[in-house]
Amino acid sequence: MNEVVEYQNQFNKVALRGFTANELDLLIAIASKMKRQEGKVIEFEFSDLKEYVKLKRNFTDLEFKEEILRVNKKLLGLNVLFKTPTEEYEEYTQFALFTKFTTNMDRKTLKVKVNEEFYYLLNVLDKEFTRFELEEFVDLKSSYSKECYRRLKQWRKTGKWYVKIEEFRRLLSVPETYRMCDIDKWVLEPIYDELSKIFEDFTIKKIKKGRKVTELHFIFSDREIFKQQGTNFFEKNKENIEKNKENIANRIKSESEDEFFENLRNRENKRLK
């Protein structure tokens, strides 16, 4: 499986509330297959769909049907809201991503019809869009890691995602009852554990106003971007970078992200000279 997912950055503003990791996999798998399709209807075979989402256990056809019907119901209720910037007035657009699911047990197929507006988000790409590999997304275990991963891929060129804590809670559907210590343990720790294996120099910085955390800064380097630029920095310095990572005692960094990032670069560049 080497499917590539691409969509307009607007889709990253949608909070997929209450979606499990498996449900996110199914949604993104559908999105990847809708890319550059002539029509707005696509048909999946059960066997292909199981391969795309890498189910963690073997489902019988009957169990898989029940799983699909449950996920379909949730996806049919998924609505998005976009604010359209205008000079004269505020305008908001709301629409459902999917309009129809047809599950055929005799043929063991799932037919999906997407809304025209969602089709547009997947197929009419602006200069700035989100792009990543489906397999890499599916391999992530935590739903928080998956949702953070998508946003980092949006900012893959700059290697920085700065987000207000309230917006972070909304986008990743963090329970309202979670205190910052809960977010550290159940949200940021899984994110760090998984995404530090994908992104180089991965760091999370908490920005505080007094004692209260007001922002989160995610700092990282995307291998794909460096390859496009012809840079083999990571390959030449993989051993040194790993040693530097071992010396980072705290996973959630409190130092300046610019200082940390520049210091790491400077140390590795000195070794090259």
Side-chain angles (χ1 to χ4, degrees):
M1 175 177 64
N2 194 26
E3 298 286 336
V4 173
V5 183
E6 293 178 337
Y7 53 76
Q8 288 189 31
N9 288 341
Q10 276 186 306
F11 186 45
N12 285 332
K13 297 178 182 179
V14 179
L16 302 174
R17 296 187 180 278
F19 276 65
T20 66
N22 279 346
E23 291 164 354
L24 289 172
D25 291 343
L26 183 57
L27 170 60
I28 299 302
I30 292 172
S32 72
K33 296 300 291 183
M34 290 302 302
K35 184 166 59 77
R36 298 186 180 90
Q37 292 289 322
E38 292 184 1
K40 300 174 183 62
V41 178
I42 188 168
E43 186 173 85
F44 295 88
E45 293 186 3
F46 280 7
S47 57
D48 290 338
L49 203 54
K50 288 178 181 179
E51 180 181 352
Y52 290 141
V53 301
K54 291 187 175 181
L55 290 175
K56 303 302 184 291
R57 70 180 182 86
N58 292 326
F59 280 76
T60 65
D61 287 337
L62 181 59
E63 289 174 327
F64 192 54
K65 180 206 70 173
E66 294 300 325
E67 178 75 2
I68 287 176
L69 292 178
R70 184 181 61 78
V71 175
N72 291 351
K73 183 178 180 179
K74 184 174 286 190
L75 292 178
L76 283 171
L78 183 59
N79 291 272
V80 301
L81 169 66
F82 291 131
K83 179 180 178 180
T84 304
T86 63
E87 295 181 357
E88 299 178 355
Y89 53 86
E90 287 188 7
E91 182 175 273
Y92 296 87
T93 301
Q94 293 175 274
F95 59 87
L97 298 186
F98 302 96
T99 59
K100 187 177 182 180
F101 289 91
T102 303
T103 305
N104 189 311
M105 285 304 297
D106 291 329
R107 296 178 55 202
K108 295 182 175 57
T109 60
L110 170 67
K111 188 178 294 185
V112 182
K113 184 176 183 180
V114 302
N115 193 318
E116 184 174 352
E117 283 82 359
F118 187 39
Y119 179 83
Y120 176 85
L121 288 179
L122 299 175
N123 287 278
V124 183
L125 301 180
D126 298 325
K127 290 183 179 180
E128 299 297 328
F129 59 91
T130 300
R131 182 181 189 276
F132 55 86
E133 292 183 2
L134 175 62
E135 184 171 17
E136 194 168 60
F137 178 87
V138 169
D139 283 341
L140 296 171
K141 297 180 177 62
S142 166
S143 60
Y144 293 126
S145 297
K146 292 176 185 289
E147 286 298 84
C148 185
Y149 170 88
R150 292 201 296 126
R151 275 75 185 191
L152 297 189
K153 282 295 185 176
Q154 174 180 340
W155 298 99
R156 62 193 184 280
K157 292 182 181 179
T158 64
K160 296 182 180 183
W161 180 39
Y162 295 173
V163 58
K164 298 288 186 184
I165 191 66
E166 294 83 3
E167 180 67 356
F168 179 79
R169 282 176 173 271
R170 184 188 73 83
L171 290 174
L172 271 68
S173 301
V174 177
E176 294 181 3
T177 57
Y178 273 21
R179 297 172 297 171
M180 198 62 222
C181 60
D182 298 315
I183 294 177
D184 283 346
K185 182 176 181 179
W186 303 111
V187 181
L188 295 180
E189 283 290 340
I191 286 174
Y192 185 90
D193 284 341
E194 295 199 277
L195 298 192
S196 61
K197 299 172 185 176
I198 294 177
F199 299 103
E200 295 289 348
D201 308 334
F202 185 67
T203 309
I204 304 172
K205 177 191 174 185
K206 297 176 185 175
I207 306 300
K208 296 182 178 180
K209 188 173 183 180
R211 300 181 63 182
K212 183 179 180 181
V213 176
T214 58
E215 275 189 59
L216 292 174
H217 290 186
F218 294 84
I219 317 300
F220 61 98
S221 299
D222 191 298
R223 284 177 177 269
E224 182 181 355
I225 297 301
F226 276 84
K227 287 180 180 179
Q228 291 173 358
Q229 295 173 346
T231 303
N232 57 2
F233 171 86
F234 295 125
E235 300 306 320
K236 288 183 177 180
N237 296 277
K238 185 176 181 181
E239 181 178 351
N240 293 329
I241 289 174
E242 290 302 320
K243 288 181 180 178
N244 282 327
K245 284 184 178 180
E246 292 175 2
N247 293 329
I248 301 172
N250 297 319
R251 288 179 170 181
I252 311 303
K253 303 299 293 179
S254 59
E255 66 182 293
S256 162
E257 78 283 0
D258 290 323
E259 289 178 2
F260 173 74
F261 195 80
E262 287 301 319
N263 287 340
L264 180 61
R265 291 290 186 193
N266 290 336
R267 285 197 296 270
E268 299 312 317
N269 286 335
K270 285 181 183 179
R271 293 179 182 275
L272 283 175
K273 293 181 181 179

mmCIF file of all heavy atoms in Angstrom, residues 158-189:
data_model
loop_
_atom_site.group_PDB
_atom_site.id
_atom_site.type_symbol
_atom_site.label_atom_id
_atom_site.label_comp_id
_atom_site.label_asym_id
_atom_site.label_seq_id
_atom_site.Cartn_x
_atom_site.Cartn_y
_atom_site.Cartn_z
ATOM 1 N N THR A 158 7.637 24.656 6.707
ATOM 2 C CA THR A 158 8.203 25.543 7.723
ATOM 3 C C THR A 158 8.732 24.774 8.924
ATOM 4 O O THR A 158 9.621 25.245 9.633
ATOM 5 C CB THR A 158 7.150 26.553 8.221
ATOM 6 O OG1 THR A 158 6.088 25.847 8.889
ATOM 7 C CG2 THR A 158 6.572 27.341 7.059
ATOM 8 N N GLY A 159 8.177 23.586 9.168
ATOM 9 C CA GLY A 159 8.604 22.796 10.316
ATOM 10 C C GLY A 159 8.150 23.362 11.644
ATOM 11 O O GLY A 159 8.717 23.036 12.686
ATOM 12 N N LYS A 160 7.102 24.186 11.617
ATOM 13 C CA LYS A 160 6.585 24.775 12.858
ATOM 14 C C LYS A 160 5.065 24.864 12.792
ATOM 15 O O LYS A 160 4.515 25.371 11.820
ATOM 16 C CB LYS A 160 7.154 26.183 13.072
ATOM 17 C CG LYS A 160 8.654 26.232 13.280
ATOM 18 C CD LYS A 160 9.128 27.668 13.526
ATOM 19 C CE LYS A 160 10.628 27.713 13.723
ATOM 20 N NZ LYS A 160 11.099 29.088 14.029
ATOM 21 N N TRP A 161 4.426 24.344 13.830
ATOM 22 C CA TRP A 161 2.979 24.516 13.979
ATOM 23 C C TRP A 161 2.716 25.136 15.336
ATOM 24 O O TRP A 161 2.952 24.506 16.365
ATOM 25 C CB TRP A 161 2.242 23.175 13.861
ATOM 26 C CG TRP A 161 0.743 23.299 14.009
ATOM 27 C CD1 TRP A 161 -0.049 24.294 13.510
ATOM 28 C CD2 TRP A 161 -0.137 22.403 14.697
ATOM 29 N NE1 TRP A 161 -1.362 24.080 13.835
ATOM 30 C CE2 TRP A 161 -1.450 22.930 14.572
ATOM 31 C CE3 TRP A 161 0.044 21.219 15.403
ATOM 32 C CZ2 TRP A 161 -2.566 22.304 15.126
ATOM 33 C CZ3 TRP A 161 -1.062 20.582 15.961
ATOM 34 C CH2 TRP A 161 -2.359 21.119 15.814
ATOM 35 N N TYR A 162 2.267 26.380 15.338
ATOM 36 C CA TYR A 162 1.937 27.097 16.560
ATOM 37 C C TYR A 162 0.426 27.114 16.699
ATOM 38 O O TYR A 162 -0.273 27.561 15.789
ATOM 39 C CB TYR A 162 2.453 28.532 16.527
ATOM 40 C CG TYR A 162 3.967 28.674 16.492
ATOM 41 C CD1 TYR A 162 4.562 29.918 16.317
ATOM 42 C CD2 TYR A 162 4.804 27.566 16.632
ATOM 43 C CE1 TYR A 162 5.944 30.060 16.294
ATOM 44 C CE2 TYR A 162 6.170 27.690 16.608
ATOM 45 C CZ TYR A 162 6.746 28.938 16.434
ATOM 46 O OH TYR A 162 8.107 29.062 16.412
ATOM 47 N N VAL A 163 -0.083 26.660 17.829
ATOM 48 C CA VAL A 163 -1.530 26.550 17.984
ATOM 49 C C VAL A 163 -1.928 26.955 19.401
ATOM 50 O O VAL A 163 -1.277 26.567 20.383
ATOM 51 C CB VAL A 163 -1.999 25.106 17.662
ATOM 52 C CG1 VAL A 163 -1.307 24.086 18.543
ATOM 53 C CG2 VAL A 163 -3.506 24.985 17.771
ATOM 54 N N LYS A 164 -2.987 27.760 19.516
ATOM 55 C CA LYS A 164 -3.536 28.122 20.811
ATOM 56 C C LYS A 164 -4.059 26.864 21.489
ATOM 57 O O LYS A 164 -4.583 25.962 20.830
ATOM 58 C CB LYS A 164 -4.679 29.129 20.650
ATOM 59 C CG LYS A 164 -4.269 30.459 20.006
ATOM 60 C CD LYS A 164 -3.449 31.298 20.942
ATOM 61 C CE LYS A 164 -3.189 32.682 20.332
ATOM 62 N NZ LYS A 164 -2.303 33.499 21.216
ATOM 63 N N ILE A 165 -3.955 26.813 22.799
ATOM 64 C CA ILE A 165 -4.355 25.606 23.521
ATOM 65 C C ILE A 165 -5.839 25.311 23.329
ATOM 66 O O ILE A 165 -6.238 24.151 23.213
ATOM 67 C CB ILE A 165 -4.002 25.711 25.022
ATOM 68 C CG1 ILE A 165 -4.173 24.358 25.714
ATOM 69 C CG2 ILE A 165 -4.799 26.802 25.700
ATOM 70 C CD1 ILE A 165 -3.226 23.284 25.255
ATOM 71 N N GLU A 166 -6.671 26.372 23.236
ATOM 72 C CA GLU A 166 -8.106 26.159 23.017
ATOM 73 C C GLU A 166 -8.364 25.548 21.645
ATOM 74 O O GLU A 166 -9.198 24.646 21.502
ATOM 75 C CB GLU A 166 -8.878 27.481 23.142
ATOM 76 C CG GLU A 166 -8.877 28.095 24.525
ATOM 77 C CD GLU A 166 -7.619 28.906 24.804
ATOM 78 O OE1 GLU A 166 -6.773 29.032 23.885
ATOM 79 O OE2 GLU A 166 -7.494 29.410 25.931
ATOM 80 N N GLU A 167 -7.642 26.014 20.619
ATOM 81 C CA GLU A 167 -7.806 25.473 19.269
ATOM 82 C C GLU A 167 -7.263 24.045 19.200
ATOM 83 O O GLU A 167 -7.828 23.189 18.516
ATOM 84 C CB GLU A 167 -7.088 26.375 18.262
ATOM 85 C CG GLU A 167 -7.175 25.929 16.813
ATOM 86 C CD GLU A 167 -8.577 26.003 16.215
ATOM 87 O OE1 GLU A 167 -9.539 26.334 16.953
ATOM 88 O OE2 GLU A 167 -8.717 25.741 15.006
ATOM 89 N N PHE A 168 -6.179 23.789 19.902
ATOM 90 C CA PHE A 168 -5.619 22.435 19.952
ATOM 91 C C PHE A 168 -6.626 21.466 20.555
ATOM 92 O O PHE A 168 -6.838 20.367 20.037
ATOM 93 C CB PHE A 168 -4.337 22.439 20.783
ATOM 94 C CG PHE A 168 -3.682 21.093 20.919
ATOM 95 C CD1 PHE A 168 -2.912 20.570 19.885
ATOM 96 C CD2 PHE A 168 -3.821 20.344 22.087
ATOM 97 C CE1 PHE A 168 -2.296 19.320 20.009
ATOM 98 C CE2 PHE A 168 -3.221 19.102 22.221
ATOM 99 C CZ PHE A 168 -2.453 18.594 21.181
ATOM 100 N N ARG A 169 -7.276 21.886 21.635
ATOM 101 C CA ARG A 169 -8.311 21.049 22.259
ATOM 102 C C ARG A 169 -9.443 20.774 21.278
ATOM 103 O O ARG A 169 -9.936 19.639 21.181
ATOM 104 C CB ARG A 169 -8.871 21.758 23.494
ATOM 105 C CG ARG A 169 -8.001 21.695 24.739
ATOM 106 C CD ARG A 169 -8.639 22.512 25.857
ATOM 107 N NE ARG A 169 -7.971 22.382 27.133
ATOM 108 C CZ ARG A 169 -8.253 21.460 28.046
ATOM 109 N NH1 ARG A 169 -9.219 20.574 27.814
ATOM 110 N NH2 ARG A 169 -7.602 21.417 29.200
ATOM 111 N N ARG A 170 -9.853 21.800 20.526
ATOM 112 C CA ARG A 170 -10.971 21.651 19.588
ATOM 113 C C ARG A 170 -10.604 20.716 18.447
ATOM 114 O O ARG A 170 -11.337 19.780 18.128
ATOM 115 C CB ARG A 170 -11.379 23.018 19.024
ATOM 116 C CG ARG A 170 -12.613 22.968 18.114
ATOM 117 C CD ARG A 170 -12.851 24.299 17.430
ATOM 118 N NE ARG A 170 -11.880 24.553 16.369
ATOM 119 C CZ ARG A 170 -11.992 24.078 15.123
ATOM 120 N NH1 ARG A 170 -13.013 23.303 14.796
ATOM 121 N NH2 ARG A 170 -11.078 24.364 14.212
ATOM 122 N N LEU A 171 -9.453 20.966 17.823
ATOM 123 C CA LEU A 171 -9.055 20.190 16.650
ATOM 124 C C LEU A 171 -8.838 18.719 16.970
ATOM 125 O O LEU A 171 -9.165 17.848 16.151
ATOM 126 C CB LEU A 171 -7.779 20.775 16.041
ATOM 127 C CG LEU A 171 -7.910 22.137 15.357
ATOM 128 C CD1 LEU A 171 -6.544 22.648 14.941
ATOM 129 C CD2 LEU A 171 -8.836 22.056 14.156
ATOM 130 N N LEU A 172 -8.288 18.412 18.141
ATOM 131 C CA LEU A 172 -7.991 17.027 18.493
ATOM 132 C C LEU A 172 -9.067 16.410 19.384
ATOM 133 O O LEU A 172 -8.918 15.295 19.869
ATOM 134 C CB LEU A 172 -6.629 16.923 19.179
ATOM 135 C CG LEU A 172 -5.442 16.730 18.213
ATOM 136 C CD1 LEU A 172 -5.217 17.972 17.364
ATOM 137 C CD2 LEU A 172 -4.180 16.346 18.953
ATOM 138 N N SER A 173 -10.182 17.153 19.585
ATOM 139 C CA SER A 173 -11.302 16.644 20.383
ATOM 140 C C SER A 173 -10.858 16.185 21.770
ATOM 141 O O SER A 173 -11.236 15.102 22.236
ATOM 142 C CB SER A 173 -12.007 15.494 19.643
ATOM 143 O OG SER A 173 -12.480 15.918 18.391
ATOM 144 N N VAL A 174 -10.039 16.999 22.413
ATOM 145 C CA VAL A 174 -9.590 16.697 23.772
ATOM 146 C C VAL A 174 -10.760 16.926 24.727
ATOM 147 O O VAL A 174 -11.415 17.973 24.681
ATOM 148 C CB VAL A 174 -8.406 17.600 24.170
ATOM 149 C CG1 VAL A 174 -7.985 17.328 25.614
ATOM 150 C CG2 VAL A 174 -7.235 17.387 23.211
ATOM 151 N N PRO A 175 -11.066 15.964 25.593
ATOM 152 C CA PRO A 175 -12.191 16.127 26.529
ATOM 153 C C PRO A 175 -12.080 17.412 27.355
ATOM 154 O O PRO A 175 -10.986 17.784 27.790
ATOM 155 C CB PRO A 175 -12.078 14.886 27.428
ATOM 156 C CG PRO A 175 -11.397 13.869 26.571
ATOM 157 C CD PRO A 175 -10.426 14.634 25.730
ATOM 158 N N GLU A 176 -13.190 18.071 27.548
ATOM 159 C CA GLU A 176 -13.209 19.323 28.306
ATOM 160 C C GLU A 176 -12.748 19.121 29.743
ATOM 161 O O GLU A 176 -12.252 20.058 30.381
ATOM 162 C CB GLU A 176 -14.611 19.924 28.279
ATOM 163 C CG GLU A 176 -15.057 20.378 26.892
ATOM 164 C CD GLU A 176 -16.440 20.991 26.909
ATOM 165 O OE1 GLU A 176 -17.026 21.117 28.014
ATOM 166 O OE2 GLU A 176 -16.940 21.352 25.823
ATOM 167 N N THR A 177 -12.921 17.911 30.257
ATOM 168 C CA THR A 177 -12.545 17.639 31.647
ATOM 169 C C THR A 177 -11.041 17.493 31.840
ATOM 170 O O THR A 177 -10.561 17.494 32.978
ATOM 171 C CB THR A 177 -13.238 16.361 32.142
ATOM 172 O OG1 THR A 177 -12.886 15.269 31.266
ATOM 173 C CG2 THR A 177 -14.753 16.537 32.154
ATOM 174 N N TYR A 178 -10.287 17.371 30.760
ATOM 175 C CA TYR A 178 -8.842 17.170 30.865
ATOM 176 C C TYR A 178 -8.151 18.435 31.369
ATOM 177 O O TYR A 178 -8.287 19.511 30.790
ATOM 178 C CB TYR A 178 -8.251 16.790 29.505
ATOM 179 C CG TYR A 178 -8.280 15.309 29.205
ATOM 180 C CD1 TYR A 178 -9.146 14.456 29.867
ATOM 181 C CD2 TYR A 178 -7.434 14.758 28.240
ATOM 182 C CE1 TYR A 178 -9.189 13.105 29.576
ATOM 183 C CE2 TYR A 178 -7.469 13.406 27.945
ATOM 184 C CZ TYR A 178 -8.343 12.589 28.620
ATOM 185 O OH TYR A 178 -8.385 11.251 28.328
ATOM 186 N N ARG A 179 -7.380 18.292 32.447
ATOM 187 C CA ARG A 179 -6.492 19.354 32.888
ATOM 188 C C ARG A 179 -5.182 19.236 32.100
ATOM 189 O O ARG A 179 -4.991 18.284 31.335
ATOM 190 C CB ARG A 179 -6.231 19.230 34.388
ATOM 191 C CG ARG A 179 -7.482 19.383 35.258
ATOM 192 C CD ARG A 179 -7.169 19.055 36.701
ATOM 193 N NE ARG A 179 -6.747 17.666 36.834
ATOM 194 C CZ ARG A 179 -6.240 17.138 37.970
ATOM 195 N NH1 ARG A 179 -6.095 17.921 39.031
ATOM 196 N NH2 ARG A 179 -5.891 15.877 38.012
ATOM 197 N N MET A 180 -4.275 20.198 32.294
ATOM 198 C CA MET A 180 -3.035 20.173 31.527
ATOM 199 C C MET A 180 -2.222 18.921 31.829
ATOM 200 O O MET A 180 -1.586 18.347 30.936
ATOM 201 C CB MET A 180 -2.203 21.418 31.831
ATOM 202 C CG MET A 180 -1.129 21.690 30.779
ATOM 203 S SD MET A 180 -1.822 21.999 29.143
ATOM 204 C CE MET A 180 -0.691 21.059 28.101
ATOM 205 N N CYS A 181 -2.265 18.452 33.082
ATOM 206 C CA CYS A 181 -1.532 17.227 33.413
ATOM 207 C C CYS A 181 -2.112 16.019 32.678
ATOM 208 O O CYS A 181 -1.382 15.100 32.280
ATOM 209 C CB CYS A 181 -1.531 16.995 34.917
ATOM 210 S SG CYS A 181 -3.162 16.813 35.664
ATOM 211 N N ASP A 182 -3.430 16.031 32.453
ATOM 212 C CA ASP A 182 -4.073 14.955 31.691
ATOM 213 C C ASP A 182 -3.684 15.030 30.217
ATOM 214 O O ASP A 182 -3.468 14.010 29.555
ATOM 215 C CB ASP A 182 -5.592 15.036 31.830
ATOM 216 C CG ASP A 182 -6.057 14.862 33.271
ATOM 217 O OD1 ASP A 182 -5.541 13.955 33.937
ATOM 218 O OD2 ASP A 182 -6.921 15.632 33.708
ATOM 219 N N ILE A 183 -3.630 16.259 29.694
ATOM 220 C CA ILE A 183 -3.226 16.445 28.297
ATOM 221 C C ILE A 183 -1.795 15.968 28.091
ATOM 222 O O ILE A 183 -1.473 15.323 27.081
ATOM 223 C CB ILE A 183 -3.375 17.926 27.886
ATOM 224 C CG1 ILE A 183 -4.857 18.332 27.901
ATOM 225 C CG2 ILE A 183 -2.781 18.182 26.506
ATOM 226 C CD1 ILE A 183 -5.104 19.791 27.589
ATOM 227 N N ASP A 184 -0.932 16.262 29.062
ATOM 228 C CA ASP A 184 0.452 15.784 28.980
ATOM 229 C C ASP A 184 0.493 14.259 28.860
ATOM 230 O O ASP A 184 1.169 13.704 27.987
ATOM 231 C CB ASP A 184 1.235 16.201 30.223
ATOM 232 C CG ASP A 184 1.653 17.660 30.194
ATOM 233 O OD1 ASP A 184 1.577 18.276 29.125
ATOM 234 O OD2 ASP A 184 2.057 18.171 31.253
ATOM 235 N N LYS A 185 -0.237 13.587 29.756
ATOM 236 C CA LYS A 185 -0.158 12.126 29.845
ATOM 237 C C LYS A 185 -0.880 11.411 28.720
ATOM 238 O O LYS A 185 -0.344 10.454 28.137
ATOM 239 C CB LYS A 185 -0.727 11.680 31.198
ATOM 240 C CG LYS A 185 -0.643 10.171 31.417
ATOM 241 C CD LYS A 185 -1.136 9.788 32.806
ATOM 242 C CE LYS A 185 -1.019 8.283 33.039
ATOM 243 N NZ LYS A 185 -1.469 7.894 34.396
ATOM 244 N N TRP A 186 -2.104 11.865 28.391
ATOM 245 C CA TRP A 186 -2.947 11.108 27.472
ATOM 246 C C TRP A 186 -2.944 11.636 26.038
ATOM 247 O O TRP A 186 -3.408 10.958 25.133
ATOM 248 C CB TRP A 186 -4.380 11.074 27.987
ATOM 249 C CG TRP A 186 -4.489 10.499 29.359
ATOM 250 C CD1 TRP A 186 -4.818 11.145 30.511
ATOM 251 C CD2 TRP A 186 -4.244 9.134 29.736
ATOM 252 N NE1 TRP A 186 -4.795 10.285 31.578
ATOM 253 C CE2 TRP A 186 -4.451 9.041 31.138
ATOM 254 C CE3 TRP A 186 -3.881 7.994 29.030
ATOM 255 C CZ2 TRP A 186 -4.299 7.845 31.834
ATOM 256 C CZ3 TRP A 186 -3.735 6.804 29.735
ATOM 257 C CH2 TRP A 186 -3.940 6.739 31.117
ATOM 258 N N VAL A 187 -2.431 12.843 25.844
ATOM 259 C CA VAL A 187 -2.440 13.434 24.502
ATOM 260 C C VAL A 187 -1.018 13.693 23.996
ATOM 261 O O VAL A 187 -0.602 13.155 22.965
ATOM 262 C CB VAL A 187 -3.253 14.753 24.485
ATOM 263 C CG1 VAL A 187 -3.281 15.341 23.065
ATOM 264 C CG2 VAL A 187 -4.673 14.521 24.990
ATOM 265 N N LEU A 188 -0.248 14.510 24.717
ATOM 266 C CA LEU A 188 1.079 14.891 24.239
ATOM 267 C C LEU A 188 2.091 13.757 24.295
ATOM 268 O O LEU A 188 2.932 13.621 23.400
ATOM 269 C CB LEU A 188 1.596 16.091 25.035
ATOM 270 C CG LEU A 188 0.806 17.392 24.860
ATOM 271 C CD1 LEU A 188 1.417 18.511 25.692
ATOM 272 C CD2 LEU A 188 0.739 17.808 23.389
ATOM 273 N N GLU A 189 2.034 12.936 25.339
ATOM 274 C CA GLU A 189 2.977 11.819 25.422
ATOM 275 C C GLU A 189 2.813 10.826 24.270
ATOM 276 O O GLU A 189 3.793 10.451 23.632
ATOM 277 C CB GLU A 189 2.835 11.102 26.770
ATOM 278 C CG GLU A 189 3.490 11.849 27.919
ATOM 279 C CD GLU A 189 5.004 11.844 27.847
ATOM 280 O OE1 GLU A 189 5.563 10.972 27.153
ATOM 281 O OE2 GLU A 189 5.630 12.713 28.472
#
